[in-house]
C-alpha cells in the first residue's frame, strides 16, 4: 500500500464512522421518549431561530403550565407524548404558542 492508497483508505474509514455515528444518533433520538428543545420546537411547529428564541418560547410554555413533564438541566428535555398532545391543541386553536 502506498501513501495515497493509505490516505484514501483512512478517509473512507472516517466517512464510514461518521455515517454510522449519525445513524446511531438518529435512532437514539427516534426511540427516546424525550425531545431536545430543537425537536420539541419542530413537534410544536415553532420555527427554530439562530438566536434560540424557540427555546424561550418553550420555557414560557413550561411557566404557563402547558408543558409539565420537563427533564431539567442545562439543556431541558420535553416529554414527546405531551408535546404531541399540545401540538394537537395548537392545531385545533385551543392554545396559542
Amino acid at each position: 500500500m502506498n501513501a495515497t492508497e493509505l490516505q484514501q483508505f483512512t478517509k473512507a474509514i472516517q466517512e464510514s464512522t461518521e455515517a454510522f455515528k449519525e445513524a446511531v444518533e438518529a435512532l437514539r433520538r427516534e426511540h427516546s421518549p424525550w425531545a431536545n428543545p430543537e425537536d420539541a420546537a419542530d413537534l410544536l411547529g415553532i420555527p427554530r431561530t439562530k438566536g434560540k428564541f424557540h427555546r424561550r418560547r418553550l420555557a414560557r410554555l413550561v411557566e404557563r403550565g402547558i408543558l409539565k413533564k420537563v427533564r431539567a438541566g442545562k439543556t431541558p428535555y420535553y416529554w414527546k407524548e405531551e408535546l404531541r398532545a399540545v401540538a394537537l391543541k395548537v392545531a385545533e386553536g385551543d392554545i396559542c404558542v
Side-chain angles (χ1 to χ4, degrees):
M1 240 184 183
N2 61 23
T4 57
E5 289 176 342
L6 186 59
Q7 286 176 341
Q8 290 174 348
F9 183 67
T10 304
K11 183 179 177 183
I13 289 176
Q14 288 173 342
E15 290 173 357
S16 174
T17 303
E18 286 299 316
F20 180 74
K21 285 180 182 178
E22 289 173 9
V24 168
E25 181 65 23
L27 284 172
R28 186 194 62 77
R29 262 188 279 129
E30 182 179 312
H31 292 295
S32 174
W34 296 96
N36 63 24
E38 284 68 35
D39 293 338
D42 290 342
L43 283 170
L44 291 174
I46 299 171
R48 290 191 207 180
T49 58
K50 188 175 179 181
K52 305 207 188 252
F53 185 70
H54 60 281
R55 289 181 177 220
R56 289 191 287 270
R57 290 176 74 178
L58 288 166
R60 272 192 237 119
L61 289 174
V62 173
E63 289 171 4
R64 289 172 38 195
I66 295 171
L67 293 176
K68 295 179 178 100
K69 291 186 180 181
V70 179
R71 194 170 74 186
K74 184 175 183 203
T75 302
Y77 285 84
Y78 305 92
W79 191 250
K80 283 183 183 177
E81 291 300 318
E82 186 178 40
L83 289 170
R84 289 185 186 106
V86 170
L88 184 64
K89 289 180 182 178
V90 168
E92 292 172 350
D94 295 340
I95 298 174
C96 182
V97 178

